[in-house]
Amino acid sequence: MSGLSEKLAARLAGVPAYVPGSALPGALSRKLSSNEAALGPSPQIVAALQAAAGAVNRYPEEAELHDRLAHRVGVAPEQLLLTNGSDELCSLVSALFLGPEDKSVLGDPSYAIDVKVSLFAGSQLVRVPLISGAHDLPGMAAAAVDAAVVWLPTPHNPTGVSIRPAELREFLATVPSSCLVVVDEAYAGYADAEYVIDVAGLISEFPNVLIQRTFSKDWAIAGVRLGYGIGSSEVIDALRRARAPFSVSGLAVAAGMAALDSTAWHRMTVDRAREGRELLQAELDRLGIDYLPSQANFVFARISHPQIASRLISAGISVRPGENLGMPGWVRITIGWAPIMAELRSLLRAEFSTSAVGTKGNQGEL
Amino acid sequence: MSSSRALILTESLELSIGVREVADPGVGEALVRIEWAGICGSDLHVLRTGDWVRVWPATPGHEFVGVVEQCPGAEFTIGTRVVVDSRVPCGACDGCARAANQCESIGWVGEVFPGGLQERALIPTDLLVEVPASLEPELAVLAEPLAVALHAVNKVPDLGAEVLILGYGPIGMLVHAEIALRRPEIRVTVVDPSPPRRGIAAAFGAVAVANYVDGDIAKADVVFDAAGYPNALRDSIEWVRNGGAIVIVALGHAAESILPAHVAEKGLRIHGANGFADELPVALTKLAASPERFRALITDAYPLADAPEVLRAMLHEPAAGKVVFRP
Ligand SMILES: [Zn+2]
């Protein structure tokens, strides 16, 4: 067995372990650590999953969802690939585009999955530190000159900072056409209109762009794993050949179809998350706490997790410590259900508001 | 005595955060530490007019959930989570002999004595109902308005196939929720001028229209008036099918003229639904059974310290859904 251990140790060298967002005992609505959708899936999705449960003896049929989604995105069916969550797309990209001779360019910090698949491919990591929570696009463009893949999440996780479409185009124009740029839009559903990318236009202008999306966030079905990639038909065809034939489950297909029918639910829940984000950012402003302007369903704030840990524990609320995300001294707060967010704002006031001390008997304070 | 940070409404209708002294409970009373308190349309009426208040300065709030902190008569164990029955019947009249909500001089918590928009309140134990352990307090705060909605829906044994809800404030939303849970196949149409409210109605599968002429409203088997706008009853009579039912749950205060012949010719049943009867424990059970059906109905939540500012704004522009405060 020792020979096996040595082999494994060599393969796993430098591969980061994933530390999932944790929940304290009690209601899951108090879990503000995994950027999950606060109001749950739409009633249509729940009904569709119940109806689909009886057919799980069948292999999944994804063609109808595939075509509907492509139509909705505004691309041809051959420019889109469904995946088992967006994580699978990362693995497919590394299998096709990365090897020991290749460079993989990432922001620092970045998604752990992007680091992991790059390391397993044996590729050389080039980490370009963020500037004020945003990608250093000139720095990444310089690193991309002889790279095979650039990983570019927008909005970024954990900072929530987004790239403007014009900046993205400018960046892509400087990247060699042989380098694949993976634009991860997991949180783009929460962004302001000025950040919305014309996907169809982008992939026709830049065939080396791959847009990565998920149904886990604004569509609220993280638990069934459904993602997709959008790119040139050449890139998508290669990814499809690399993908396992039934990697998207029948339940995911059913939930995805119902999600596309849940536009009113989607609009309501996204609006609610955006309102919650504004309220939290306004509170942080009032308390003089530094944060990065978020376009996602979370806010990254310069708060020491140990400083608020005991208050969080007594409230049963969990947030994500920056220590787990490569930015110690910060916390990432998911925009949760309105009452839990109010409790969180109360908690932050109690810790950070100077006028919170000794208000007893004062009128209209705090 | 203990002190309680509270929303204070003065007789001259000024709002602020202050401190109330709360007397120690005796037998038959409990000191409840309040976790969440909701705002109802009648609270806004009190803030505007001072109507119905019997103790000044007032602390409104009759929809709330909290934890029993002291209970000398041991009617509840310390630490029990409870909601409050908002009705304070006189206990002496003929109406009371039939049912609490038929009292000739009924009062409400928050008006007869200080209510839920404070840290702690002294409440008679016979007004407290234990919350199921599995139910989050943030949802239990909906029990009282849900009981009102259940009482309205219970007025009509057969809901038919087509229901029309006028007004999609919290009561209209809760009427919709109950109908959808009870009879998911019923087609529900909602009329409300507010786009965010129509957004919520549509998210839960209703056809939502701003007004009658815009939409294609079929004649309804049952119309719920949860709006109370001028001429809501006249519209209800027009939009209900022959032999159908109208349930008035809103407190419309504008006089309107209807033609009694229409009621007779159409063979209508018109029900008034005031408060609730025995629906409060049922409401708690329903909230515990289907939490995800109700979560989105709480649209706004704030620390109590924000209440004066938020409530002043609500007097001009109502919120989309239920607004709750955390003392
Ligand atoms: Zn009475």
Side-chain angles (χ1 to χ4, degrees), chain A residues 140-330:
Chain A
M140 292 183 94
V145 167
D146 56 352
V149 174
V150 175
W151 304 89
L152 200 63
T154 176
H156 186 272
N157 179 13
T159 72
V161 176
S162 217
I163 302 170
R164 285 173 197 281
E167 295 171 315
L168 180 61
R169 283 201 133 78
E170 206 176 299
F171 168 77
L172 292 170
T174 65
V175 173
S177 60
S178 58
C179 173
L180 185 76
V181 179
V182 181
V183 178
D184 185 342
E185 289 203 300
Y187 296 98
Y190 300 103
D192 297 344
E194 66 195 274
Y195 290 95
V196 172
I197 294 169
D198 163 22
V199 170
L202 202 69
I203 60 168
S204 81
E205 192 178 343
F206 302 101
N208 59 325
V209 169
L210 178 65
I211 307 284
Q212 184 178 17
R213 288 189 179 166
T214 179
F215 277 73
S216 295
K217 302 302 174 182
D218 50 326
W219 293 104
I221 53 172
V224 296
R225 315 306 301 134
L226 182 63
Y228 58 105
I230 311 159
S232 67
S233 49
E234 185 186 10
V235 167
I236 291 296
D237 181 58
L239 291 164
R240 180 175 293 113
R241 286 203 257 167
R243 203 201 77 172
F246 300 115
S247 69
V248 176
S249 79
L251 294 178
V253 170
M257 294 274 281
L260 296 184
D261 291 330
S262 309
T263 48
W265 181 268
H266 183 259
R267 194 174 309 121
M268 176 186 79
T269 53
V270 167
D271 286 352
R272 219 66 83 73
R274 289 167 51 84
E275 288 160 18
R277 182 174 79 198
E278 294 311 307
L279 273 175
L280 177 57
Q281 292 188 160
E283 189 77 51
L284 295 169
D285 280 334
R286 266 195 299 277
L287 295 172
I289 296 171
D290 198 13
Y291 63 90
L292 296 166
S294 174
Q295 291 296 324
N297 70 336
F298 56 82
V299 174
F300 202 52
R302 196 193 294 271
I303 294 172
S304 150
H305 190 265
Q307 188 181 346
I308 58 169
S310 67
R311 288 186 193 274
L312 288 169
I313 288 168
S314 63
I317 296 175
S318 53
V319 301
R320 194 70 164 267
E323 286 76 2
N324 292 358
L325 301 165
M327 285 185 73
W330 294 70

Side-chain angles (χ1 to χ4, degrees), chain B residues 89-93 95-96 103-105:
Chain B
C90 75
C93 70
C96 277
C103 174
E104 302 291 346
S105 57

Side-chain angles (χ1 to χ4, degrees), chain B residues 32 34-38 61-66 82-84 109-110 113-117 121 123 128 140-141 144:
Chain B
V32 176
I34 293 154
E35 296 175 290
W36 290 101
H62 59 267
E63 301 174 0
F64 56 98
V65 57
V82 290
V83 294
V84 176
V109 174
F113 53 81
L117 287 162
I123 310 287
L128 299 179
V141 73
E144 199 269 1

Side-chain angles (χ1 to χ4, degrees), chain B residues 71-292:
Chain B
C71 191
E75 293 90 347
F76 286 87
T77 314
I78 307 303
T80 305
R81 180 166 285 139
V82 290
V83 294
V84 176
D85 187 331
S86 53
R87 307 164 300 175
V88 188
C90 75
C93 70
D94 288 348
C96 277
R98 293 189 298 271
N101 65 336
Q102 292 183 26
C103 174
E104 302 291 346
S105 57
I106 194 165
W108 300 88
V109 174
E111 292 154 16
V112 178
F113 53 81
L117 287 162
Q118 56 176 331
E119 284 176 319
R120 288 179 174 76
L122 188 65
I123 310 287
T125 53
D126 56 6
L127 296 185
L128 299 179
V129 179
E130 185 170 348
V131 174
S134 64
L135 179 56
E136 296 163 73
E138 296 78 24
L139 285 168
V141 73
L142 293 175
E144 199 269 1
L146 178 57
V148 173
L150 295 180
H151 188 61
V153 177
N154 286 340
K155 291 286 176 186
V156 186
D158 179 9
L159 292 163
E162 191 84 38
V163 165
L164 174 61
I165 301 173
L166 305 182
Y168 209 69
I171 296 297
M173 290 177 189
L174 290 164
V175 164
H176 181 198
E178 168 59 10
I179 291 169
L181 288 172
R182 198 182 286 194
R183 296 268 311 279
E185 75 283 6
I186 288 180
R187 203 175 102 109
V188 174
T189 301
V190 164
V191 181
D192 196 296
S194 150
R197 287 179 170 182
R198 291 202 302 277
I200 298 169
F204 282 106
V207 175
V209 298
N211 54 56
Y212 179 62
V213 271
D214 278 352
D216 61 333
I217 296 173
K219 291 276 185 192
D221 297 294
V222 186
V223 177
F224 289 89
D225 174 17
Y229 60 86
N231 290 323
L233 179 57
R234 191 198 58 194
D235 286 349
S236 301
I237 291 169
E238 184 181 340
W239 298 340
V240 73
R241 68 160 167 81
N242 290 356
I246 295 167
V247 181
I248 304 172
V249 61
L251 302 178
H253 279 93
E256 56 179 295
S257 63
I258 59 164
L259 211 53
H262 285 166
V263 179
E265 285 163 2
K266 295 187 78 166
L268 301 182
R269 289 156 291 147
I270 301 180
H271 305 271
N274 69 321
F276 50 94
D278 52 3
E279 287 93 352
L280 190 57
V282 183
L284 285 166
T285 307
K286 285 181 186 273
L287 289 164
S290 309
E292 302 312 326

